Amino acid sequence: HHFCSFWRSSGINAEYGGTKEKRKAPEQGGEAKRVMEKAMPMMGMMQGMMQGMIPPGMQPPAANNVPPMPPKPRPTPPQTGSEIPHKILFLQNLPPETTEMMLTMLFEQFPGFKETRLVPGRHDIAFVEFEVDQQASQAKQALNQFKITPKNAMSISFANK
């Protein structure tokens, strides 16, 4: 029972204030448990040290709180419409027999549809207006390259603002 007197007299447990620890008979395994309990606070300290030692580069820089700059709109090529969402769609490559009625029937199935406008003197282009950008965008995605006739796949872009 040397262990017993050693653990008791050296006061190793005193700093943890565990009185029940001292009274307990040193049964097999009790010693290991105590050693572990003594080691645990050390483990916690090690982890704290490790966290404190992360080099500054590893931590996210404070600049992350700044919202990213919005991407610049691409310059719009002439007469092909625009890629910037707009509530008015610009239709191209329409066949000669296109009428406002045909286009209205195509586009009125989308929410927000307002009106179709053909360009006087030009059968191949037209404008379709919606209430808001998002609705025009949905119709554009659904009908872009739609074949009005077997030869004519209409091309849709956003009208220039």
Side-chain angles (χ1 to χ4, degrees), residues 29-151:
E31 304 299 338
K33 183 169 181 293
R34 273 187 220 164
V35 173
M36 281 305 290
E37 277 174 357
K38 184 167 160 42
M40 281 313 280
M42 286 298 291
M43 296 290 282
M45 273 181 59
M46 287 294 287
Q47 279 175 332
M49 293 276 290
M50 295 293 280
Q51 280 163 356
M53 282 162 58
I54 295 172
M58 300 283 286
Q59 290 163 336
N64 276 2
N65 302 333
V66 181
M69 289 290 289
K72 291 188 180 66
R74 284 175 295 176
T76 51
Q79 249 341 82
T80 53
S82 161
E83 287 307 309
I84 304 166
H86 190 24
K87 65 182 182 177
I88 298 176
L89 295 177
F90 178 47
L91 280 47
Q92 289 169 284
N93 199 29
L94 302 173
E97 60 269 32
T98 308
T99 63
E100 278 191 33
M101 190 65 196
M102 285 168 67
L103 293 174
T104 300
M105 286 174 72
L106 259 182
F107 284 91
E108 70 184 358
Q109 53 186 318
F110 294 95
F113 172 78
K114 275 175 82 175
E115 63 169 335
T116 323
R117 290 197 294 280
L118 290 178
V119 178
R122 297 279 308 266
H123 68 73
D124 61 327
I125 60 177
F127 293 94
V128 181
E129 187 174 345
F130 284 83
E131 297 285 341
V132 294
D133 299 7
Q134 287 93 329
Q135 292 167 332
S137 209
Q138 280 174 336
K140 173 182 183 290
Q141 281 172 346
L143 291 176
N144 198 7
Q145 302 308 318
F146 176 84
K147 286 187 165 63
I148 295 194
T149 68
K151 292 194 301 292

